[in-house]
Amino acid sequence: MQSNFKFPDNFTKLFIGLALVALVASCATVQQRAADLGPGFTQVKEGIYTFAPDATTTTCSFVVTNEGVVMIDACNSPLQSRNMLAAIRKVTDKPILFLINTETHGDHTGNNFIFSPPARIINAEGAGAGMKKEYSPKRAETFAAQSPEMREAVKGEKLIPPHIEYRDRMTLNVGERTFELFYLKNVHSFADTAVWMPKERVLFAGSAAVVRILQNLRPAVVIADVLASYKLMKALNPEVVVTGHGPVTTTKTFDENEAFYALLLKRVGEMAAMGKSLVEIKKELKMPEYADWNGQDRLGLYIDVAYKSVKK
Ligand SMILES: [Zn+2]
């Protein structure tokens, strides 16, 4: 009787053992592939890769589908874009079909030319006009002056505005993947897009919130709209959040930025109520709770925008 049970028992052990070996081997392959892409690359989910060169530099990402590649943003410098292109080629030889710009600024869009053609560029309505307004004809020259490598990388530079501009929302189906694009109003640039992958629960949030960074906040930003965008994006319940700058994160980045804005508005509001001028507020107001965030010299830009908001 006992010996009858021994065979299936050992067989089960062997089976579990083999399954574990297979699982460990497949995990190792996945990690290996992400590590092979070089510093700054993270595989956030199977076939979804993000390149965040450091704590503050522009983040760019790519998603592999069975039809081809979809990119999110074109990376900060032409050298980083070439690095990105090399990384994509290590993972797949499929064509780059689409490149979604999450905003209009050059550090996300200026290197569209490296991927397009063949990539078709997508962003919300007004993006092309915004990019043309912001474009510096000296861009290529400025990069070329940095180093011989950069001079090589920036060759062929030209402005590539979106081929496709959508209004409010857009669904992009590529192979087995679905990308839902949301227009976010007044949160950062002339046209901002969040990209949501519902099946994978990965959100590319753009620059309405960046990770522990005070950014170059433009005067056209409206804090109420920024906070509304956090609410919308949190309601999607993403597992992974990739913002326009900084490492891969979660919805905690929305909570942190929301708390920052709440405290800033409270302080600016109190000082304005005491009759202090914008100049006085900018001189006196401190945010020591956020002293470890990058870009401390930009606090004044935030006070400008907050002052406008409390004076409304
Ligand atoms: Zn920007």
Side-chain angles (χ1 to χ4, degrees):
M1 198 61 189
Q2 222 174 7
S3 67
N4 270 356
F5 279 99
K6 242 180 189 160
F7 172 72
D9 188 42
N10 282 343
F11 183 77
T12 307
K13 274 185 195 158
L14 180 69
F15 181 76
I16 290 169
L18 283 176
L20 276 175
V21 166
L23 182 70
V24 167
S26 76
C27 285
T29 314
V30 165
Q31 280 168 5
Q32 184 70 33
R33 227 185 292 148
D36 277 348
L37 300 182
F41 280 89
T42 309
Q43 178 170 252
V44 299
K45 288 265 169 119
E46 183 64 42
I48 306 177
Y49 300 85
T50 279
F51 178 37
D54 54 48
T56 57
T57 303
T58 317
T59 300
C60 49
S61 306
F62 71 97
V63 179
V64 182
T65 79
N66 55 30
E67 278 186 16
V69 174
V70 176
M71 285 184 68
I72 293 95
D73 287 331
C75 315
N76 184 281
S77 77
L79 258 184
Q80 285 169 345
S81 303
R82 303 282 178 197
N83 192 7
M84 181 67 160
L85 191 57
I88 295 171
R89 285 296 154 251
K90 275 186 200 168
V91 174
T92 178
D93 53 9
K94 291 195 169 87
I96 302 169
L97 299 174
F98 296 101
L99 195 176
I100 303 164
N101 289 152
T102 64
E103 56 166 278
T104 59
H105 299 150
D107 58 322
H108 297 252
T109 64
N111 303 316
N112 283 351
F113 76 97
I114 291 178
F115 310 99
S116 179
R120 305 277 93 183
I121 312 294
I122 307 175
N123 195 357
E125 191 176 31
M131 284 166 67
K132 282 171 196 161
K133 209 180 279 181
E134 288 160 346
Y135 182 71
S136 160
K138 294 212 161 165
R139 185 175 182 273
E141 206 181 298
T142 310
F143 272 118
Q146 289 181 13
S147 70
E149 294 79 16
M150 196 67 92
R151 177 173 295 277
E152 195 56 32
V154 79
K155 270 186 183 158
E157 192 271 353
K158 62 174 171 176
L159 180 78
I160 311 270
H163 303 92
I164 301 161
E165 292 193 357
Y166 70 95
R167 190 176 293 174
D168 197 31
R169 281 186 188 203
M170 171 179 178
T171 301
L172 179 68
N173 296 304
V174 186
E176 77 282 27
R177 311 251 201 200
T178 296
F179 303 81
E180 290 175 6
L181 281 60
F182 295 81
Y183 167 59
L184 304 177
K185 186 180 70 169
N186 300 332
V187 301
H188 179 73
S189 75
F190 285 112
D192 296 281
T193 290
V195 184
W196 169 231
M197 300 183 68
K199 278 177 275 184
E200 299 81 354
R201 295 184 53 222
V202 175
L203 173 70
F204 299 92
S207 296
V210 285
V211 184
R212 303 172 78 78
I213 303 167
L214 296 182
Q215 51 181 327
N216 183 9
L217 202 75
R218 275 42 174 209
V221 168
V222 177
I223 295 176
D225 289 330
V226 171
L227 297 176
S229 82
Y230 297 166
K231 205 173 162 196
L232 180 146
M233 292 191 281
K234 280 204 285 188
L236 298 169
N237 193 24
E239 197 179 306
V240 178
V241 175
V242 179
T243 71
H245 294 259
V248 174
T249 184
T250 63
T251 54
K252 81 165 193 275
T253 194
F254 300 132
D255 297 332
E256 285 173 356
N257 280 272
E258 203 176 279
F260 172 87
Y261 276 118
L263 189 58
L264 178 71
L265 285 173
K266 181 176 175 282
R267 288 188 180 150
V268 172
E270 283 167 0
M271 290 168 106
M274 286 162 67
K276 291 187 196 273
S277 71
L278 176 60
V279 175
E280 286 170 325
I281 296 173
K282 283 171 93 166
K283 208 179 282 173
E284 291 171 29
L285 197 153
K286 301 275 179 288
M287 295 286 277
E289 300 85 352
Y290 297 90
D292 60 337
W293 284 23
N294 285 291
Q296 288 295 317
D297 55 332
R298 292 165 173 165
L299 181 59
L301 302 174
Y302 281 74
I303 297 172
D304 283 335
V305 171
Y307 185 77
K308 222 189 291 173
S309 159
V310 302
K311 277 287 178 185
K312 248 182 203 167

